[in-house]
Amino acid sequence: MKALTVRQPWAGAIAHQSKRTENRSWKLPAKHEGARILIHAGAQPDKDAQVYGPHLDVYGAVVAVATITECHFSVAGLCCGPWGFERAYHWTLADVVALAEPVPAKGALNFWTPQPDVLAAVEAQLADTTTAI
Ligand SMILES: [Zn+2]
């Protein structure tokens, strides 16, 4: 599984709110369409973001797992409200699972490969979730 670093509060909004659209300036490479990825909260916040709620103050950690279902360019006023920005690529997310215990990790630009211990810690939590159900 690859990881994608998203600044807070956006990463937390994916994990704990209804954010299912990731805004990017670049088109999703086709090979990542349908991929299950780790959502990593970056070390630096987006100070202009106006999103509030619990769990949005976790930095430098994997906070969720999600599937990227597809990518399209914004259609002004018509799609992905309220999370989708205008004039941006919208990467749509599904099957989001928030991690009860964020897993510390150093982020990177673009898609990146998590260290084996990070991946193992995430997968252990996903296994616990499955058991609980
Ligand atoms: Zn959209």
Side-chain angles (χ1 to χ4, degrees), residues 21 70 72-75 78-81 84 90 92:
T21 306
E70 54 97 22
H72 59 266
F73 197 73
S74 62
V75 180
L78 293 177
C79 75
C80 302
H90 293 170
T92 58

Side-chain angles (χ1 to χ4, degrees), residues 32-94:
H32 296 298
E33 202 170 293
R36 197 88 175 127
I37 60 158
L38 307 185
I39 302 294
H40 173 265
Q44 302 294 331
D46 180 351
K47 291 191 170 67
D48 297 328
Q50 298 193 352
V51 178
Y52 307 96
H55 310 300
L56 303 182
D57 56 351
V58 174
Y59 296 96
V62 177
V63 297
V65 179
T67 299
I68 306 179
T69 51
E70 54 97 22
C71 170
H72 59 266
F73 197 73
S74 62
V75 180
L78 293 177
C79 75
C80 302
W83 300 103
F85 293 170
E86 287 187 29
R87 293 184 296 281
Y89 285 99
H90 293 170
W91 298 8
T92 58
L93 306 174

Side-chain angles (χ1 to χ4, degrees), residues 1-8 10-12 14 19 21-29 32 35-43 60-68 70 89-93 105-114 118-119:
M1 249 189 305
K2 295 286 185 183
L4 186 70
T5 295
V6 178
R7 286 189 295 173
Q8 291 286 28
W10 306 115
I14 291 170
K19 186 173 190 281
T21 306
E22 170 62 9
N23 298 285
R24 293 276 154 164
S25 59
W26 45 291
K27 191 176 180 182
L28 177 72
H32 296 298
R36 197 88 175 127
I37 60 158
L38 307 185
I39 302 294
H40 173 265
V62 177
V63 297
V65 179
T67 299
I68 306 179
E70 54 97 22
Y89 285 99
H90 293 170
W91 298 8
T92 58
L93 306 174
K106 199 167 153 57
L109 295 175
N110 209 327
F111 285 93
W112 50 277
T113 303
V118 170
L119 206 49

Side-chain angles (χ1 to χ4, degrees), residues 95-109:
D95 302 325
V96 176
V97 177
L99 299 182
E101 298 288 338
V103 177
K106 199 167 153 57
L109 295 175

